[in-house]
Amino acid sequence: MTENLKVEVVGLNRVKGKHLIVQIRLSNTGTDRHLSWPGEMADRTRPLGAIRWASGIGVLDTRARTWILPYEPAGSPCLCSDLDRDGLGRFIGPGRSITVYAVLPAPSGNPATTTVVTPVGPPMLNVPISDEAPAGDFPDPDAEPVTPVVRRLVLTSESLDESEETADDGKELQVNLSSDVLFAVNEAALTSDAKAIMDRTAKLIDASPATVVTVAGHADSSGDDAINDPLSLRRAQAVRRTLSALLSRDGIRFQAKGYGSRRPLYDNDSDEGRRRNRRVTVTFPKPRPATREPVATTSPGETGLTGAAKAGGRPIAVEVTGLRRLPGGLGLLTYKITNEGSDEIWFTDLHRAQDWEAYKYRAASNVRVTDVAAGRRYPPGRLEVPTDDGVDSYCACTDVSGVRIGTAKFAPGQTREFWSLFALPGTDGALKVEIGPFRDLRIPVR
């Protein structure tokens, strides 16, 4: 995302079996200007990290479904390279390089490789981890009190008929069933359209190790608590009774609650946000994964990964460079946007997501992967950041806020690369990819 900034992993060492030291070489490949690196390498989810620290270096732990960032010592935001303390200087001259580091928890399961993440480009897959001590003098996280900084990665999907959406955090599956499909207005008796949704949800519970299932009714902000609270509870109880009767195994206990309008998922200021807030949420431990993850194949007749289109009459082209299957049910989409015209133009369509999506700041979130045969659509995942008031959500995709807010401006011939992390269905073959205003593409999973 930053022209002439080259990023290379030059060290990845597991220390004491539980810590990871990541070393990144930053090179200015240009010939005519200096590059400022601190803001580029800072973690966008920590306000203090945006000043002088390499706090955005981390790894993606696909097994634990987490995004791991550098430890946080007392009194500083990051156990990592510091602009002032390490004497690195704020700028990298033309043709020059510097090396920055970060110390963080090792990914779970003692893997031989991992995915390294930085704020400036797509995740770097399958980077080998060495168990040898790294050369150099690095801080010992056991020598002082430090706090692990871990962002849970939540993967979402939604049915094309708008009957339900799911959120998977790697431990629990949250299924949000649309009240507009389940019930008539102001009623708590299930409609005939609810049968297929109830059957599908019951099968998910049967496939899980659940012993307790929580069913919660929710309303939008219309009406008052005197109406919303009892209605949401009656709807939760109706779903509980039906699911209990459909299960094929014993030993599962249900808890039904009604929250009225007090726990919205989305902004109630839009019709779409209110529709999604009218829901019954069924939460239970994640179903057991398949014993074998499907192997990606390319169907006969596939024409490759490239697709181009004009965006609103502007000479903007898109090229998908990869749709890759990662462990843990994840997928990584990478694509390039190019200004093929002779004039400088602005292109802001990538962060024009639907208004009910509560991603923090601006990000390239206006992207979807769809399994047409299964009738499911997959938005980019979200990184959850605990706050004093609850949880903030950040898009697990290219950030176009902060120091990169100007990336919507493309010079003639300029190309930038973007990425998104998704839940990836087990379907072999090609999936439909929707990127901003461009025509839909069919992309094989590699």
Side-chain angles (χ1 to χ4, degrees), residues 218-219 261-268 277 279:
H218 301 274
S261 60
R262 290 186 295 278
R263 294 188 176 184
L265 282 180
Y266 305 107
D267 195 333
N268 276 301
N277 284 332
R279 69 197 190 278

Side-chain angles (χ1 to χ4, degrees), residues 183-206:
F183 308 100
V185 177
N186 293 329
E187 298 293 331
L190 289 167
T191 66
S192 58
D193 292 335
K195 184 179 185 306
I197 304 172
M198 293 291 99
D199 287 342
R200 185 165 60 239
T201 306
K203 289 178 181 178
L204 289 172
I205 297 172
D206 273 335

Side-chain angles (χ1 to χ4, degrees), residues 70-85:
Y71 289 111
E72 186 175 291
S76 70
C78 179
L79 201 63
C80 62
S81 291
D82 170 22
L83 173 68
D84 297 331
R85 181 192 62 216

Side-chain angles (χ1 to χ4, degrees), residues 217-263:
H218 301 274
D220 64 19
S221 58
S222 303
D224 55 30
D225 292 345
I227 296 174
N228 289 335
D229 288 0
L231 178 62
S232 64
L233 176 58
R234 292 199 305 273
R235 287 178 167 181
Q237 291 169 336
V239 169
R240 178 201 64 191
R241 288 191 296 268
T242 301
L243 288 177
S244 180
L246 289 172
L247 295 181
S248 63
R249 64 183 179 90
D250 299 326
I252 299 178
R253 181 166 54 90
F254 283 83
Q255 297 175 342
K257 301 178 181 180
Y259 292 100
S261 60
R262 290 186 295 278
R263 294 188 176 184

Side-chain angles (χ1 to χ4, degrees), residues 76-423:
S76 70
C78 179
L79 201 63
C80 62
S81 291
D82 170 22
L83 173 68
D84 297 331
R85 181 192 62 216
D86 297 326
L88 293 170
R90 182 174 298 276
F91 297 96
I92 307 172
R96 304 296 296 272
S97 299
I98 65 170
T99 299
V100 296
Y101 72 85
V103 186
L104 51 142
S108 60
N110 198 37
T113 66
T114 191
T115 296
V116 176
V117 294
T118 72
V120 296
M124 294 176 276
L125 309 180
N126 301 319
V127 182
I129 300 175
S130 171
D131 286 302
E132 297 182 0
D137 184 19
F138 300 99
D140 181 0
D142 293 329
E144 59 178 315
V146 294
T147 301
V149 179
V150 178
R151 312 305 189 200
R152 184 158 297 282
L153 175 60
V154 178
L155 303 179
T156 61
S157 70
E158 55 194 16
S159 61
L160 297 183
D161 63 6
E162 299 185 340
S163 63
E164 50 87 4
E165 59 181 349
T166 63
D168 175 4
D169 67 1
K171 294 183 179 180
E172 288 189 327
L173 187 66
Q174 186 179 86
V175 183
N176 295 315
L177 308 176
S178 172
S179 291
D180 291 7
V181 178
L182 296 180
F183 308 100
V185 177
N186 293 329
E187 298 293 331
L190 289 167
T191 66
S192 58
D193 292 335
K195 184 179 185 306
I197 304 172
M198 293 291 99
D199 287 342
R200 185 165 60 239
T201 306
K203 289 178 181 178
L204 289 172
I205 297 172
D206 273 335
S208 81
T211 58
V212 177
V213 175
T214 300
V215 183
H218 301 274
D220 64 19
S221 58
S222 303
D224 55 30
D225 292 345
I227 296 174
N228 289 335
D229 288 0
L231 178 62
S232 64
L233 176 58
R234 292 199 305 273
R235 287 178 167 181
Q237 291 169 336
V239 169
R240 178 201 64 191
R241 288 191 296 268
T242 301
L243 288 177
S244 180
L246 289 172
L247 295 181
S248 63
R249 64 183 179 90
D250 299 326
I252 299 178
R253 181 166 54 90
F254 283 83
Q255 297 175 342
K257 301 178 181 180
Y259 292 100
S261 60
R262 290 186 295 278
R263 294 188 176 184
L265 282 180
Y266 305 107
D267 195 333
N268 276 301
D269 290 339
S270 69
D271 290 342
E272 181 67 3
R274 288 189 294 274
R275 181 189 72 79
R276 289 175 180 264
N277 284 332
R278 296 189 294 270
R279 69 197 190 278
V280 176
T281 300
V282 183
T283 305
F284 49 92
K286 181 182 175 182
R288 298 178 182 91
T291 56
R292 180 187 68 85
E293 291 194 353
V295 177
T297 60
T298 301
S299 303
E302 293 290 351
T303 58
L305 296 177
T306 300
K310 304 299 183 186
R314 291 162 291 170
I316 289 286
V318 62
E319 177 187 358
V320 174
T321 55
L323 180 56
R324 298 172 177 85
R325 190 180 301 281
L326 280 61
L330 276 72
L332 173 64
L333 175 73
T334 53
Y335 58 99
K336 295 179 179 180
I337 302 293
T338 300
N339 177 9
E340 295 184 336
S342 57
D343 297 320
E344 183 178 74
I345 58 175
W346 288 85
F347 182 69
T348 60
D349 300 68
L350 291 181
H351 61 78
R352 285 181 176 170
Q354 299 180 66
D355 56 6
W356 49 266
E357 291 179 297
Y359 290 141
K360 192 75 170 178
Y361 304 121
R362 293 185 176 186
S365 55
N366 193 11
V367 179
R368 298 291 183 273
V369 173
T370 301
D371 185 345
V372 177
R376 295 204 71 78
R377 180 186 294 115
Y378 300 84
R382 62 177 184 261
L383 297 171
E384 293 194 336
V385 181
T387 68
D388 293 338
D389 300 323
V391 175
D392 269 349
S393 291
Y394 291 77
C395 185
C397 63
T398 301
D399 177 25
V400 291
S401 64
V403 297
R404 280 171 289 281
I405 199 166
T407 56
K409 188 177 183 179
F410 284 76
Q414 186 170 25
T415 296
R416 291 193 175 98
E417 187 171 14
F418 297 82
W419 62 271
S420 304
L421 282 172
F422 298 84

